[in-house]
């Protein structure tokens, strides 16, 4: 069983209170790790360490020196690739190929890409006229924002944590990460990487624990934290925003979604079925960008539902390293209860269950895991709970539509605005619809294909702000203007 500590000022430390909590495997509910729960004392110590690093060696590095260290971090993650894959598989139970192809390499890339961004992005300069005719020159300099609190979810823990830590450090800040209580492994491993590479102590810190009345709340309320970047549920974002308002701290929020998939009758049928299947069921549906509402143009509706059903019924449940398996469990028993409660609600609200709706029969110890069947519904009104609320499980509701205007209205009829995936061979229509859907990111004939240099974030209740490439500099730095009278 792993013993996970907090990582403060370059040292792995227990909690002064002696408090620990257990992490259970999603696969079979065994306890697989014991984690030191940070209290106010550890959060205070982390803030102090982060502040002194900011004013110490780290703060004195040139951009080039920082960039070299971050390349070193990326290379060390790649050298220890298998350790990260194993750690993330243990926490999430998701298949090895998802870790090796997407989640871990993208985590390493987050350090390289943002190192390159800070090296190459200029600041602005304006010449201005003055009454004496001699003029003045304005130029901006970017400075780090300070100590950044990074509060993370469990669904793609390493990718989503490094997506914040990479740019924050590239910009010269120091960070205190609060990983999800459900997935603390890779944040801790990253501490080992930071020490191995020689990142100064206190630059990267980790405090483990829960949200309310625990490390999450202590961190986000702490007056020594200058800004907070958060990925998680919209409701949690509301609580963190209240905390951040004390002291007027800046926030960057990546929140929930209830994303629409739109399939026109002229789409490449097989590609659309594959694409919607991935977007609804990858990572067992635990992807913020996932599709829980699917709208299919009426002429191909029945055929599409049947094809998606066959694919969903073909998934093979199993352990991450089982080469015959391609499908993992949900993160926890608690999350499974939530997802299953939506499965019941769908039936109560009159859904036709096309497939799934329950729990698969699993052999031996796996019977204790957090497994659920991929589930497809039809026949519900747009007011039904499973059509309106984010479930964050492997499920979707499919509804037919008859016109472009109708499907745009349906897609936009939600409090969320994170992503959409559109499937059609009529590219003019694809662009037209993409421009009208109220989301931060739209895919045309693809899904979850994203260059890290692009703007990423949500509209409406799916987030505040944009990160990615140069957009991350807006959050992780402050621009100071200097005006020189000539
Ligand atoms: P969550 O909001 O329950 O928890 C996220 C983190 O916040 C955890 O570390 C948790 O301990 C902490 N937390 C909870 N309450 C807190 C409080 N009051 N103060 C401070 N910290 C607190 O989210 P989750 O269940 O871990 O993740 C799933 C959610 O994340 C889904 O809603 C999903 O859509 C969203 N998500 C969004 C994106 C995106 O980019 N928009 C990406 C991934 C996940
Ligand atoms: O692609 C990314 O970098 C990104 N932020 C993905 C988010 C996945 C959410 O579950």
């Amino acid at each position: 069983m792993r013993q996970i500590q907090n990582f403060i000022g370059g040292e792995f430390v227990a909690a002064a209170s002696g408090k620990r909590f257990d992490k259970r495997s999603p696969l079979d509910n065994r306890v697989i790790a014991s984690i030191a729960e940070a209290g106010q004392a550890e959060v205070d110590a982390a803030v102090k360490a982060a502040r002194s690093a900011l004013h110490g060696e780290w703060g004195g590095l040139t951009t080039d020196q920082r960039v070299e260290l971050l390349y070193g971090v990326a290379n060390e993650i790649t050298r220890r690739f298998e350790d990260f894959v194993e750690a993330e598989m243990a926490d999430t139970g998701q298949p090895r190929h998802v870790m090796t192809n997407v989640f871990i390499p993208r985590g390493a890339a987050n350090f390289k890409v943002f190192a390159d961004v800070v090296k190459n992005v200029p600041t602005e300069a304006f010449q201005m006229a003055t009454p004496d005719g001699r003029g003045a020159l304005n130029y901006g300099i970017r400075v780090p924002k300070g100590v950044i609190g990074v509060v993370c979810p469990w669904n793609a823990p390493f990718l989503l944590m490094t997506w914040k830590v990479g740019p924050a450090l590239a910009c010269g800040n120091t960070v205190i990460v609060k990983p999800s209580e459900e997935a603390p492994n890779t944040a801790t491993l990253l501490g080992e990487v930071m020490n191995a590479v020689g990142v100064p102590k206190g630059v990267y810190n980790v405090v483990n624990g829960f949200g309310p009345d625990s490390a999450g709340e202590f961190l986000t309320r702490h007056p020594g934290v200058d800004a907070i970047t958060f990925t998680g549920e919209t409701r949690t974002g509301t609580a963190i925003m209240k905390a951040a308002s004390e002291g007027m701290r800046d926030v960057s929020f990546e929140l929930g979604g209830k994303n629409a998939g739109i399939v026109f009758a002229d789409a490449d049928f097989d590609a659309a079925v594959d694409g919607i299947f991935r977007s609804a069921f990858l990572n067992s549906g635990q992807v913020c960008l996932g599709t829980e509402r699917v709208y299919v143009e009426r002429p191909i509706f029945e055929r599409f539902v049947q094809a998606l059903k066959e694919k969903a019924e073909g998934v093979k449940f199993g352990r991450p390293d089982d080469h015959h398996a391609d499908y993992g469990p949900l993160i926890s028993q608690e999350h499974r209860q939530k997802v299953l409660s939506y499965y019941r609600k769908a039936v109560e609200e009159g859904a036709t269950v096309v497939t799934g709706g329950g729990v698969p029969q699993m052999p031996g110890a796996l019977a204790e895991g957090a497994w659920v069947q991929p589930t497809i519904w039809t026949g519900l009104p747009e007011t039904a709970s499973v059509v309106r609320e984010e479930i964050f499980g492997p499920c979707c509701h499919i509804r037919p539509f008859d016109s472009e205007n109708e499907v745009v209205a349906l897609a936009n009829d939600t409090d969320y605005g994170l992503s959409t995936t559109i499937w059609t061979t009529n590219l003019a229509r694809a662009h037209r619809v993409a421009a009208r859907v109220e989301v931060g990111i739209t895919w045309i004939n693809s899904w979850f294909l994203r260059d890290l240099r692009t703007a990423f974030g949500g509209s409406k209740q799916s987030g505040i702000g944009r990160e990615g490439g140069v957009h991350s500099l807006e959050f992780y730095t402050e621009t100071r203007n200097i005006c020189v009278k000539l």
Side-chain angles (χ1 to χ4, degrees), residues 106 155 159-160 163 286-289 448 450 452 456:
R106 204 164 172 78
N155 63 306
L159 182 161
L160 290 167
W163 156 248
Q286 302 164 121
V287 181
C288 57
L289 306 159
F448 208 163
R450 207 175 76 71
L452 290 167
F456 181 87

Side-chain angles (χ1 to χ4, degrees), residues 154 257-258 279-288 290-292 327 329-331 335-336 338-340 342-343 372-375 377 389-397:
W154 46 256
K258 189 71 185 178
S279 73
F281 301 125
L282 183 84
N283 215 32
S284 305
Q286 302 164 121
V287 181
C288 57
T291 303
E292 290 187 356
Y327 206 77
L330 297 178
I331 188 73
H335 189 50
R336 177 163 85 155
K338 174 184 161 189
V339 171
L340 290 176
Y342 277 107
Y343 283 13
V372 293
Q373 293 172 322
T375 294
W377 304 289
E389 296 167 24
E390 182 187 48
I391 302 167
F392 220 55
C395 52
C396 61
H397 177 256

Side-chain angles (χ1 to χ4, degrees), residues 348-367:
E348 285 157 22
E349 292 184 312
T352 299
V353 181
V354 175
T355 189
V359 170
Q361 290 286 326
M362 299 301 292
L366 295 184

Side-chain angles (χ1 to χ4, degrees), residues 269 294-307 377-379 398-401:
F269 185 83
V294 184
Y295 301 102
V296 179
E297 206 169 0
R298 199 173 298 275
I300 60 163
F301 178 76
E302 297 296 343
R303 189 171 152 233
F304 187 93
V305 171
Q306 182 59 27
W377 304 289
T378 56
I398 318 186
R399 170 192 170 128
F401 71 89

Side-chain angles (χ1 to χ4, degrees), residues 297-341:
E297 206 169 0
R298 199 173 298 275
I300 60 163
F301 178 76
E302 297 296 343
R303 189 171 152 233
F304 187 93
V305 171
Q306 182 59 27
L308 200 67
K309 167 182 175 351
E310 281 166 20
K311 276 188 85 78
E313 289 176 353
V315 304
K316 299 208 167 37
F317 302 93
R319 292 183 183 274
D321 267 329
D322 175 349
H323 296 300
H324 302 291
D326 54 11
Y327 206 77
L330 297 178
I331 188 73
S332 65
Q333 293 294 336
E334 191 188 2
H335 189 50
R336 177 163 85 155
Q337 277 165 24
K338 174 184 161 189
V339 171
L340 290 176
S341 77

Side-chain angles (χ1 to χ4, degrees), residues 68-204:
E68 281 308 311
L69 277 175
L70 296 186
Y71 282 157
V73 170
N75 292 339
E76 182 67 5
I77 293 168
T78 306
R79 194 183 71 75
R80 295 193 58 186
F81 194 77
E82 187 54 25
D83 294 341
F84 280 93
V85 169
E86 289 286 341
E88 192 101 319
M89 287 193 317
D91 274 351
T92 66
Q94 291 300 318
R96 173 175 283 274
H97 68 88
V98 179
M99 303 303 142
T100 57
N101 294 334
V102 190
F103 288 178
I104 305 304
R106 204 164 172 78
N110 278 325
F111 288 95
K112 283 209 166 110
V113 167
F114 289 102
D116 288 338
V117 168
V118 293
K119 224 166 58 167
N120 292 309
V121 175
T123 52
E124 63 186 18
F126 292 100
Q127 276 183 295
M128 67 185 287
T130 54
D132 64 6
R134 287 160 59 188
L137 176 66
N138 296 268
Y139 65 94
I141 56 167
R142 285 185 192 280
V143 296
K145 213 163 237 175
V147 175
I148 310 284
V150 183
V151 183
C152 308
W154 46 256
N155 63 306
F158 188 57
L159 182 161
L160 290 167
M161 184 255 297
T162 52
W163 156 248
K164 309 292 200 172
V165 171
L169 298 192
C171 291
N173 300 283
T174 57
V175 296
I176 303 164
V177 173
K178 208 302 274 174
S180 167
E181 53 274 32
E182 292 294 349
N185 250 312
T186 44
T188 311
L189 264 186
L190 190 59
E192 293 177 18
V193 166
M194 295 288 171
N195 280 353
V197 170
V199 172
K201 293 182 187 318
V203 170
Y204 173 82

